[in-house]
Amino acid sequence: MDDTRPSFTLGPLEAMPGTKVSGFLEVPAPRAEDEATRIPVTLVHGARPGPVLALIAGTHGAEYPPILALQRVRRTIDAQALAGTLILVHIANLPSFQLRTVYYGPTDGRNLNRVYPGRPDGTMSERIAHVITTQVIADADYVADLHCGDANEALRPYSYWFVSGDARVDEASKAMAVAFGVDWIVIDDSRPTDPEASMYTANTAITRGKPAITTETGELGSSDERWVAQAERGAWNLLHHFGMIDGHPVLSGEVVWLQPSEVLRSPVTGMFRSVVRAGEPVSKNAVLGVLTDWFGEVLREVRAPFEGVVTYIVETPPVTAGEPLAMIGTPRSG
């Protein structure tokens, strides 16, 4: 162990070299009528120098596999054998997790992954985003935002490579997406570029010059072992990729790059019945599902905007106007 290596501080937590510590980042209530919350985190400070990697789970409370995967990483990782520092955000959105809400925070109806970088005096979701921005992302060199299909979404595992125009960040982010080990990678060059209106967790890191990815491993609120194991393997793969632990990433096959991609949103409030499955190829104008009213009367068909594959699709009936129904991506050569 390097005796000259300093300790690492994360909010109220301090870890000496070669140790790990768990606790909470506090999200205070700025007004008497507001509620406070907290974010469970683990800080693993390696015995040797290296990068700072932040793995963030639980942005959406019903996306369980990454949450369970990070618990396993916490239990297994050896801080004495680690180079660098690992930040595990176990459940970013604890209110959503505790109340089992899909997409939105239970107190403010906001999507945490749309309000970054947040505000210290804002709504609950904005305050959580502010704490993660200023106490996690600010101290990290690399960030992975770990998602899966929410409780309403069937999903074929994939990751996002966000292209920002910053060659250094983009190449490092691309390497992260490949190293995570999921063989479908969506190329997205449409994210905001303003750091003060970054919207998304990973994009908040990218707009601050820090390579980052978003991953999707699991579906429909399931805690099935195959999804938990895939998310856990991805976490270890990133640690291998950055040389923080010995070994090499375990990849799942040749990468398929998807671009363009499009999220289809419901034009109406009602019910949705899907007729295709996640992972299936579809032709242009193929019917993906049918929107009905409360009595089952068909309101309209939902069709694929172009030829591609279904990355995810809603498989529970309730839908609200403006919410996602499905995502289609087009495999590209090269």
Side-chain angles (χ1 to χ4, degrees):
M1 184 172 69
D2 182 357
D3 293 333
T4 65
R5 183 160 160 74
S7 63
F8 193 98
T9 300
L10 177 70
L13 307 182
E14 182 178 9
M16 301 301 294
T19 68
K20 58 185 170 183
V21 59
S22 297
F24 296 90
L25 301 180
E26 301 297 333
V27 183
R31 294 167 292 270
E33 63 270 22
D34 292 326
E35 294 182 38
T37 189
R38 53 198 342 208
I39 302 169
V41 297
T42 293
L43 176 60
V44 188
H45 191 39
R48 295 174 288 123
V52 180
L53 172 64
L55 303 179
I56 301 173
T59 293
H60 298 130
E63 297 180 3
Y64 304 123
I67 295 170
L68 298 174
L70 292 194
Q71 289 182 342
R72 294 182 179 182
V73 172
R74 173 190 178 272
R75 183 169 60 249
T76 306
I77 194 163
D78 180 0
Q80 288 287 336
L82 181 70
T85 303
L86 178 63
I87 300 171
L88 302 175
V89 176
H90 292 285
I91 308 173
N93 197 339
L94 195 57
S96 174
F97 177 80
Q98 291 177 306
L99 292 177
R100 305 172 187 267
T101 62
V102 173
Y103 297 147
Y104 308 117
T107 63
D108 59 7
R110 306 289 298 276
N111 185 336
L112 175 57
N113 207 29
R114 299 295 185 276
V115 300
Y116 277 86
R119 297 188 299 131
D121 59 348
T123 69
M124 177 74 80
S125 298
E126 290 173 322
R127 285 182 277 128
I128 293 172
H130 174 75
V131 168
I132 293 174
T133 298
T134 57
Q135 298 188 41
V136 177
I137 294 174
D139 287 338
D141 298 315
Y142 304 95
V143 174
D145 186 27
L146 310 179
H147 289 255
C148 66
D150 216 321
N152 60 331
E153 295 171 342
L155 181 143
R156 198 281 192 192
Y158 66 96
S159 297
Y160 285 97
W161 173 34
F162 302 117
V163 179
S164 68
D166 181 325
R168 179 192 65 82
V169 172
D170 292 346
E171 285 305 307
S173 297
K174 180 180 182 180
M176 288 177 67
V178 172
F180 187 80
V182 176
D183 60 350
W184 279 15
I185 301 178
V186 173
I187 303 171
D188 188 342
D189 60 4
S190 65
R191 298 290 160 123
T193 58
D194 181 358
E196 298 309 313
S198 51
M199 291 182 64
Y200 306 90
T201 311
N203 195 52
T204 300
I206 289 169
T207 57
R208 286 156 176 77
K210 302 167 186 282
I213 58 171
T214 295
T215 67
E216 302 277 0
T217 52
E219 61 176 6
L220 293 168
S222 171
S223 298
D224 189 280
E225 169 60 23
R226 59 179 167 162
W227 306 129
V228 179
Q230 187 175 51
E232 183 188 7
R233 184 169 61 250
W236 290 115
N237 277 350
L238 290 174
L239 287 162
H240 288 306
H241 171 68
F242 290 118
M244 299 173 72
I245 58 175
D246 292 337
H248 302 281
V250 178
L251 306 183
S252 58
E254 184 177 353
V255 170
V256 175
W257 301 94
L258 303 177
Q259 189 187 46
S261 62
E262 183 175 334
V263 175
L264 308 179
R265 299 183 179 276
S266 181
V268 299
T269 295
M271 301 174 72
F272 181 64
R273 184 174 70 252
S274 62
V275 298
V276 298
R277 298 187 63 81
E280 288 184 356
V282 292
S283 59
K284 183 177 180 179
N285 292 322
V287 176
L288 305 177
V290 178
L291 289 161
T292 75
D293 64 16
W294 310 123
F295 307 100
E297 295 296 325
V298 174
L299 299 174
R300 65 187 69 190
E301 294 176 328
V302 178
R303 295 179 177 269
F306 42 72
E307 181 180 1
V309 292
V310 180
T311 60
Y312 72 79
I313 190 161
V314 168
E315 282 199 358
T316 59
V319 293
T320 299
E323 288 186 347
L325 296 174
M327 179 176 168
I328 306 299
T330 301
R332 55 178 284 185
S333 59

